[in-house]
């Protein structure tokens, strides 16, 4: 069928024509905004889930809804940075929010205070030894100049919240990839938000991240569970998965047969990104509407090749040989969370020997720990990909003389 009319959107963070199965999260976000706007207490939220379940898409919907309600929106994707770089990048977004609340020509004392806090927050010394501040306002001694990230960010949040309150508006801070915040950065964000809640200021933080975020937040600050809700999103049930496939097609005056929808759900497992990818491929495979089961069957090879070459491969390419062997051993055991000892046994090792490798994979965002002693893939169907990419299990061979390792096929005798 006409590729120009293809209604599916297999792109990272792209909004689908039909957002199925996320009504609860959208409703909860609206309630959050309305309560805070009325000066009532409400917990901010961090949405968690595996890769490809639509967390970024949901943040985009939150952004649109907040803008419709007249909130200023700070939209930031977290990357791994030291605290200095974090200050710089986050301050640029906060500066935009401040200017959105009121143009510089209309700033009151509270706005000048917020600008001074931001300037102190990002204060640097250039090669000539002169101080530079991004907003060209005088710093206020004792405001966001403590040299402690948590204290400084708290001053910024409180000053920004006071400025927003003066304008009868609020600020929504949207943070994607929350798991990449360092412990000090996450602690600072939590502490700063907590202070705005205590002072009943109109600042809301909504994040998205991998399933380990609630644990990370709890480790950073014990009261995080009382400051946030952590709604988890995952694969769609059969009804919503059918909607996600059928309704976009119907917008283009096309349709899918029931058995085509059944097969598509079976192949994708109901994961939103996979649905978009298979829908795209099936549309291209079909000659006319309705899209039939045979069209979906013809599309599967293209669908898998596309996932393997992009969605999956970009993650595996970052792994070392030993990390790859660990992932392949987990895939050998299945898609469920696996005990560290069981994975080590597959590799003819003790779990203590592979502890650093496991920790590295968690830090890279390829694994997470759903419970103590267990690890699981952060990407759905990653076990099947590993089996396709590496049909034979890899047993790492330790080189005792020089250190390091090399990978061998299963059955080779390890040293």
């Amino acid at each position: 069928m006409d590729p120009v009319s293809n209604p599916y959107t297999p792109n990272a963070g792209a909004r689908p024509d039909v957002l199925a199965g996320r009504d609860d999260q959208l409703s909860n976000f609206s309630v959050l905004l309305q309560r805070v706007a009325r000066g009532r207490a409400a917990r901010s939220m961090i949405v968690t889930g595996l890769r490809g379940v639509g967390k970024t898409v949901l943040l985009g919907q939150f952004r649109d809804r907040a803008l419709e309600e007249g909130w200023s929106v700070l939209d930031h994707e977290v990357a791994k940075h030291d605290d200095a770089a974090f200050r710089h990048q986050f301050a640029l977004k906060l500066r935009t929010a401040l200017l959105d609340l009121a143009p510089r020509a209309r700033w009151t004392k509270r706005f000048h205070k917020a600008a001074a806090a931001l300037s102190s927050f990002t204060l640097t010394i250039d090669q000539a030894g002169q101080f530079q501040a991004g907003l060209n306002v005088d710093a206020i001694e004792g405001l966001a100049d403590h040299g402690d990230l948590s204290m400084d960010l708290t001053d910024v949040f409180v000053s920004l919240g006071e400025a927003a309150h003066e304008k009868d508006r609020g600020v929504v801070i949207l943070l994607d990839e929350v798991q990449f915040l360092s412990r000090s950065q996450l602690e600072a964000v939590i502490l700063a938000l907590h202070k705005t809640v205590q002072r009943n200021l109109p600042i809301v933080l909504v994040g998205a991240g991998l399933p380990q975020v609630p644990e990370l937040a709890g480790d950073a600050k014990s009261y995080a569970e009382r400051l946030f809700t952590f709604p988890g999103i995952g694969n769609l049930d059969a009804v919503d998965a059918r909607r996600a496939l059928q309704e976009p097609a119907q917008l283009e005056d096309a349709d899918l047969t029931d058995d085509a929808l059944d097969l598509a759900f079976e192949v994708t497992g109901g994961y939103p990104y996979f649905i978009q990818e298979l829908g795209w491929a099936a549309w291209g495979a079909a000659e006319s509407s309705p899209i039939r089961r045979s069209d979906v069957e013809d599309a599967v090879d293209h669908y898998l090749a596309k996932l393997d070459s992009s969605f999956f491969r970009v993650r595996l390419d970052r792994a070392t040989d030993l990390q790859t062997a660990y992932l392949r051993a987990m895939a050998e055991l299945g898609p469920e969370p696996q005990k560290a000892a069981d994975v080590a046994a597959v590799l003819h090792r003790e779990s203590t020997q592979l502890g650093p490798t496991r920790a590295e994979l968690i830090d890279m965002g390829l694994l997470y720990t759903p419970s103590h002693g267990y690890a699981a893939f952060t990407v759905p169907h990653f076990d099947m990909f590993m089996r396709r990419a590496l049909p034979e299990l890899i047993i790492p061979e330790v080189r005792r003389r020089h250190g390091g390792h090399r990978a061998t096929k299963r059955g080779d005798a390890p040293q």
Side-chain angles (χ1 to χ4, degrees):
M1 293 197 289
D2 180 12
V4 176
S5 301
N6 194 322
Y8 302 102
T9 56
N11 303 93
R15 180 191 307 176
D17 287 346
V18 176
L19 185 63
R22 303 297 182 238
D23 292 344
D24 286 349
Q25 290 77 29
L26 291 169
S27 175
N28 290 340
F29 178 72
S30 292
V31 170
L32 170 61
L33 292 187
Q34 292 170 31
R35 286 188 61 84
V36 174
R38 293 188 179 190
R40 296 188 177 275
R43 286 192 289 172
S44 289
M45 70 169 75
I46 300 179
V47 179
T48 66
L50 302 181
R51 298 290 185 191
V53 297
K55 301 184 297 298
T56 302
V57 169
L58 196 54
L59 285 185
Q61 293 281 28
F62 292 160
R63 177 183 182 276
D64 292 347
R65 189 156 297 189
L67 290 173
E68 289 172 1
E69 297 294 327
W71 290 66
S72 178
V73 178
L74 183 164
D75 192 354
H76 180 60
E77 181 176 337
V78 176
K80 287 187 176 183
H81 289 302
D82 61 22
D83 288 353
F86 169 78
R87 282 177 181 261
H88 176 71
Q89 292 196 355
F90 202 31
L92 291 175
K93 300 286 187 174
L94 290 163
R95 175 183 182 275
T96 300
L98 181 65
L99 291 169
D100 179 62
L101 289 171
R104 191 188 300 264
R106 297 180 185 176
W107 279 4
T108 63
K109 288 183 179 180
R110 285 184 175 174
F111 276 82
H112 279 284
K113 179 183 176 182
L118 270 173
S119 295
S120 295
F121 187 69
T122 57
L123 202 62
T124 60
I125 301 177
D126 67 12
Q127 292 181 353
Q130 298 175 338
F131 287 104
Q132 296 178 329
L135 285 164
N136 298 318
V137 296
D138 293 334
I140 299 175
E141 188 174 359
L143 181 67
D145 62 357
H146 313 286
D148 177 90
L149 181 60
S150 291
M151 295 175 66
D152 292 347
L153 189 60
T154 296
D155 284 350
V156 171
F157 272 30
V158 169
S159 299
L160 182 64
E162 290 172 345
H165 184 264
E166 183 179 73
K167 292 292 184 180
D168 292 323
R169 294 183 65 192
V171 178
V172 175
I173 300 171
L174 301 176
L175 294 182
D176 202 1
E177 304 286 7
V178 173
Q179 73 279 351
F180 290 139
L181 289 171
S182 69
R183 177 164 181 151
S184 63
Q185 293 160 10
L186 182 56
E187 181 179 3
V189 169
I190 293 171
L191 183 62
L193 181 67
H194 188 217
K195 188 61 67 175
T196 67
V197 171
Q198 290 176 328
R199 299 193 182 184
N200 202 26
L201 297 173
I203 290 187
V204 168
L205 191 148
V206 178
L210 294 175
Q212 65 262 39
V213 167
E215 181 181 358
L216 296 175
D219 289 343
K221 281 294 179 184
S222 60
Y223 54 74
E225 64 182 18
R226 287 169 284 153
L227 192 62
F228 296 99
T229 61
F230 295 94
I233 61 173
N235 57 326
L236 303 178
D237 61 25
V239 173
D240 285 329
R242 291 170 73 95
R243 285 188 57 217
L245 276 165
Q246 193 166 41
E247 292 183 16
Q250 290 173 343
L251 293 174
E252 294 292 338
D253 296 322
D255 211 339
L256 292 89
T257 63
D258 286 341
D259 55 351
L261 292 169
D262 290 341
L263 178 58
F265 179 68
E266 179 184 337
V267 170
T268 63
Y271 285 99
Y273 180 75
F274 294 170
I275 288 172
Q276 297 300 315
E277 201 69 81
L278 183 58
W280 177 275
W283 183 276
E287 294 184 359
S288 62
S289 177
I291 297 173
R292 303 181 183 279
R293 183 184 179 93
S294 58
D295 297 321
V296 176
E297 291 172 343
D298 291 342
V300 168
D301 285 346
H302 178 74
Y303 155 81
L304 290 176
K306 181 74 178 299
L307 288 178
D308 288 358
S309 64
S310 57
F311 184 75
F312 292 127
R313 175 59 63 179
V314 70
R315 291 166 171 82
L316 184 60
D317 283 348
R318 294 185 291 132
T320 65
D321 289 349
L322 184 54
Q323 291 166 352
T324 299
Y326 196 96
L327 294 171
R328 181 60 181 83
M330 282 191 61
E332 187 76 6
L333 295 171
E336 303 83 8
Q338 303 297 338
K339 292 177 64 175
D342 292 342
V343 180
V346 172
L347 297 175
H348 304 167
R349 295 287 182 272
E350 298 293 329
S351 59
T352 53
Q353 294 175 292
L354 294 171
T357 301
R358 181 174 178 269
E360 291 162 0
L361 290 167
I362 292 171
D363 186 59
M364 293 166 63
L366 291 172
L367 300 179
Y368 74 101
T369 53
S371 57
H372 181 69
Y374 286 80
F377 295 117
T378 59
V379 181
H381 295 185
F382 200 72
D383 60 307
M384 292 188 283
F385 163 69
M386 290 300 301
R387 288 172 174 271
R388 290 194 299 272
L390 299 167
E392 296 187 63
L393 183 65
I394 299 171
I395 303 296
E397 179 180 345
V398 177
R399 293 179 177 177
R400 289 190 173 86
R401 177 176 298 178
H402 302 293
H405 70 276
R406 67 179 178 86
T408 62
K409 295 180 182 179
R410 186 175 188 176
D412 291 350
Q415 293 181 349

